[in-house]
Amino acid sequence: MPREIDSAVFPHLDADLDRVRDVLGPVQFESRPELAALTDEGPNTSRRLVRPTLTLLSYYLLTDPTTPADDRAVQAAAAVEFLHLGSLYHDDVIDHADQRRGRPSTNAVWGSHMAVLGGDSVTTEGMRMLIELGQREGLAGASAGAQMVAGMVIEAADLYVVSRSEQSYLEAIDGKTAAVLSLACRVGAMQAGRSEEQEEALAEFGRQFGLAYQLYDDILDLTSTAEEMGKPVNADLPEGIYTLPVIRAAARDQSLARLLRRAMTREQAARASELVVASGAVDEALAMAEEFIDQAAGQLAAVPVDASARHAMTAYARSILDRRTPLPVVPPQATLPPQTRGNALTPQAMSWLRSWMLDTGLALTPAEADYHRWTGAIRIPAQTLVPAVDPDRSQTLASMFTLSLVWDDLFDDPQLTDPEKITALRRGMVAMLRQDPEKPWRPGAIPTAWASVWPRLREGRSTRWQKRFLDGIEDWFEAAEREAHHRINGYIPSTAEYWPLRRSTSGFETALACMEVYQDRELPSKLRNHPVIRRLEELLFFVGFVENDLAGLDRDEADQDPYNLVRAVRHETGCTRSEAIEQVQRQAVEYRAQLETVIHYVPVLLRVLPGLSGQWKEYADMYEKMTNAGLRAHENDRYTQPSASTAPDLERLRREIYYPADEPAPTAP
């Protein structure tokens, strides 16, 4: 039973709210059951169902409070809650909110695009249910929706406007909040079949209560904690949303007004909040909220209903204004514990890797086999991955990872400045890729190393996996060729172009495929294609490679590497080096926080995702390991050159594989 509701007056409210919960639930997308999680809040949600409660109370008030609600009243209550929920999806996108009711928000997990569409689907479901009830209910819902949007538009138009008027503020909250609470009472009254005057009285009750409700919400944003509210607080000021207490305080305090004329840091917002509270404007806003509640109660006084029911409804409205109830706020979690997880490459495996490099000719001397840009990059995956059950898979992963680093350096080498040689290198690499491992088309270290790795990689893998792997590497070679041409041409991409270009040269798909080999399982396409998993991969790519850009900036600048985000920001904006670094660091921190939110949601998603044959734990473990390795990639020793490190002769390796345009094509296997 909602607090402050007398069960003796409304004995069926709890049971009827359970009926509403049965109607509420995720929107189903025909033939795509895995997308239902987009609008599934899951069990144990802290939602109080304020609007459905008002709908049912309005119905009870005009009928018999001791009788269960009609099915139409239950549907009306659920419909209004759907409309409200739809608006929350949009609010979180607009506000860049990462939490809702103490849980990760939908946009934090699914991304803004999917969150907006999820909000649209929930809103549409609510409107469908109202229209099913009748034309009047449908029109009332459409009118409330229009008022809500109008209120949001007014608020958006006044962002960062220090001179925002109280009238503008009241018009905004009348639309964005009060309209739906008014609708809740109106459609509940409609199902009772009483006079339009009584419907209007209850609708006005909901409106006046809604004004008080939003005033309290704005006050709590200034005076409460995130733990009390289950969501971030003091969020309006940094976003330029100036509420009634702020408007009144700024009119009296010029130092506050000066703070409000620009976007603020969190520290400045905290100072501004202190000034607002000290001005006495919060107390004035509380008094205005009380006036709205009194006016709401006055609307009920004119309705000829049982006095105890009228009193219980007013008491309920007052009880939910102060919503400082401790909720489980999701704490920041470190993706990795402070200590390492073990060592995927034992000393024996590392010794094997050095021998393999010498045997294949990738390195000519033991010193080259210890080249820091190759062996140094293996340290992090070795520390973050649990050793494979089969030691041979550890060797396979280490050799393929090393070979990938060699390929990358062949194209990135600043000594490679001849456009024709760049293209000849790419053609030779592709020919090598498609060769018969038993009959290499050309001798040399790179073909020999590949011929030793590829049979081990593909063992036990499906034909689909093998094709995807080879196609992905060929795409990588083409992207590496383009990057090398950009390097010698002095081209630096815009920040918008940076992302697709950087991802194309990242080898991300190859790394993921190697993880599949290491774990001895293939990720099903329905999992790879899921929007949350795609978002996880995009965030992991962003964080991993942007932090790599920061760690390797000095070298990238010296080598004129075109695909470095700091260089792209400087080129596009004309800012200083330190300003560009600061901007990129902020982005990396923001996206790292989003990534950690998503990775903690993945097990929840996979548990309910159909078609995983009971292997959701194994898939979740794969993504956790991949994320842990990616988040620590920038810590590797690739960019720290020891004095004793000996660089191999990259041109020697290239000469063995160059495939000029005028050379006959190798014989296909």
Side-chain angles (χ1 to χ4, degrees), residues 168-180:
S168 177
Y169 166 78
L170 292 172
E171 288 176 357
I173 68 171
D174 196 4
K176 76 171 193 175
T177 303
V180 176

Side-chain angles (χ1 to χ4, degrees), residues 353-425:
L353 179 62
R354 293 189 180 98
S355 297
W356 174 79
M357 293 171 68
L358 291 168
D359 291 343
T360 59
L362 291 177
L364 296 181
T365 67
E368 286 187 5
D370 278 328
Y371 181 43
H372 74 283
R373 282 183 59 80
W374 298 346
T375 58
I378 294 179
R379 179 175 63 86
I380 297 304
Q383 291 177 340
T384 54
L385 297 178
V386 176
V389 175
D390 181 359
D392 184 65
R393 290 210 298 273
S394 292
Q395 295 179 356
T396 301
L397 178 69
S399 55
M400 183 62 215
F401 191 72
T402 302
L403 186 56
S404 299
L405 294 168
V406 175
W407 291 344
D408 194 49
D409 279 356
L410 291 179
F411 283 100
D412 284 350
D413 185 6
Q415 303 303 314
L416 181 61
T417 58
D418 184 340
E420 291 185 0
K421 284 188 174 181
I422 292 172
T423 299
L425 174 62

Side-chain angles (χ1 to χ4, degrees), residues 633-649:
H634 67 288
E635 300 174 17
N636 67 55
D637 298 327
R638 186 167 167 79
Y639 304 109
T640 305
Q641 181 173 359
S643 57
S645 182
T646 301
D649 184 354

Side-chain angles (χ1 to χ4, degrees), residues 15 67 80 197 240 244 267 276 521 599 640:
T67 302
V80 174
E197 289 78 10
L244 183 69
E267 293 75 16
V276 173
R521 82 179 58 251
I599 193 60
T640 305

Side-chain angles (χ1 to χ4, degrees), residues 97 99 217-239 266 269-270 273 323-324 329:
Q99 289 188 16
D217 196 67
D218 294 339
I219 291 166
L220 294 174
D221 183 67
L222 292 165
T223 61
S224 296
T225 66
E227 289 75 18
E228 289 174 328
M229 296 298 290
K231 64 179 181 178
V233 296
N234 203 19
D236 289 340
L237 282 170
E239 297 294 330
R266 283 290 172 187
S273 178
R323 297 178 293 289
R324 285 179 288 200
V329 178

Side-chain angles (χ1 to χ4, degrees), residues 8-10 60-66 194 300-301 303-313:
V9 179
F10 301 115
Y60 296 145
L61 207 66
L62 299 183
T63 55
D64 181 356
T66 64
R194 301 284 285 271
L300 294 188
V303 181
V305 296
D306 181 77
S308 60
R310 183 191 301 120
H311 172 76
M313 187 167 181

Side-chain angles (χ1 to χ4, degrees), residues 161-164 242-258 260-261 272 275-276 279 281:
V161 176
V162 182
S163 59
R164 184 185 192 189
Y242 302 148
T243 56
L244 183 69
V246 179
I247 292 169
R248 291 197 173 183
R252 303 166 187 163
D253 186 338
Q254 288 305 305
S255 62
L256 173 61
R258 283 192 296 272
L260 300 178
R261 291 193 180 102
L275 293 173
V276 173
S279 73

